[in-house]
């Protein structure tokens, strides 16, 4: 956690889709704004990573929203390394407001990516793509999820839906065409 360098992280890009499409990062409504965590020493509420950004709830200890740019161009999906998730807290926020392994260990919940690892797994080189994918394993990008619903490998409906969005929504539909999509995820925080 201490050695992770975020200085080159550009985060979610509103103009990613091109052709004049500009989709701003969603901003929380007034009622929830008082709970938004700010990056240490700044007024910024946006945590920028590679290909995605989050806005974090300091009381619920989860992202309010996670926004990711997904590129389906197979030429940019060069990472063939075996997946190994190493979960980290983000040192740009107080560690006290972030969930950790201690929470998940006995909770019965999965660490559920809001912006999926596979969706960020693209870049100019295989090393870039792997780095981008690895950095989705941030507690600031996760919500507790029921494993039977979350994991596509266990026929979890949410996991299957996520997989369809990537494979049908962002991968090449023909040999000469690729798609880009922007995906927004987050929990619903209601008092009831």
């Amino acid at each position: 956690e201490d050695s992770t360098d975020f200085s080159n992280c550009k985060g979610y890009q509103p103009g990613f889709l091109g052709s004049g499409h500009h989709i701003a990062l969603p901003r929380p409504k007034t009622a929830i704004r008082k709970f938004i965590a700010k990056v240490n020493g700044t007024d910024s509420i946006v945590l920028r990573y590679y290909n995605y950004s989050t806005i974090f709830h300091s009381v619920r200890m989860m992202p309010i929203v996670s926004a990711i740019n997904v590129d389906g161009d197979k030429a940019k999906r060069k990472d063939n390394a075996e997946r190994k998730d190493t979960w980290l807290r983000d040192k740009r926020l107080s560690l006290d407001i972030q969930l950790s392994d201690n929470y998940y260990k006995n909770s019965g919940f999965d660490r559920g990516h809001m912006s999926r690892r596979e969706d960020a797994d693209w870049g100019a080189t295989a090393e870039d793509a792997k780095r981008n994918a690895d950095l989705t394993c941030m507690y600031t990008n996760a919500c507790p999820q029921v494993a039977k619903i979350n994991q596509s490998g266990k026929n979890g409906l949410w996991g299957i839906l996520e997989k369809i969005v990537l494979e049908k929504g962002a991968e090449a539909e023909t040999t000469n065409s690729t798609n880009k999509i922007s995906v927004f995820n987050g929990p619903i925080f209601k008092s009831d």
Side-chain angles (χ1 to χ4, degrees), residues 46-133:
V46 179
L47 294 165
R48 290 175 176 80
Y49 301 98
Y50 294 104
N51 300 333
Y52 80 102
S53 296
T54 68
I55 297 175
F56 194 73
H57 196 295
S58 63
V59 176
R60 301 287 184 120
M61 303 175 140
M62 294 177 236
I64 294 169
V65 65
S66 187
I68 188 165
N69 302 124
V70 185
D71 196 322
D73 185 347
K74 291 180 182 179
K76 294 180 181 175
R77 294 187 164 272
K78 301 174 182 183
D79 171 29
N80 294 318
E82 183 177 335
R83 178 177 175 166
K84 183 177 185 288
D85 291 357
T86 301
W87 286 85
L88 305 170
R89 292 173 298 172
D90 191 321
K91 65 184 177 187
R92 296 175 291 178
L93 299 179
S94 169
L95 299 182
D96 295 340
I97 64 169
Q98 299 175 59
L99 296 178
S100 67
D101 286 339
N102 288 335
Y103 170 80
Y104 284 97
K105 183 172 40 177
N106 297 313
S107 71
F109 290 109
D110 275 358
R111 294 172 198 90
H113 283 81
M114 291 294 96
S115 286
R116 283 189 347 145
R117 177 185 177 83
E118 295 81 3
D119 292 352
D121 195 0
W122 59 272
T125 66
E127 293 78 20
D128 287 350
K130 183 179 182 322
R131 173 204 63 204
N132 301 349

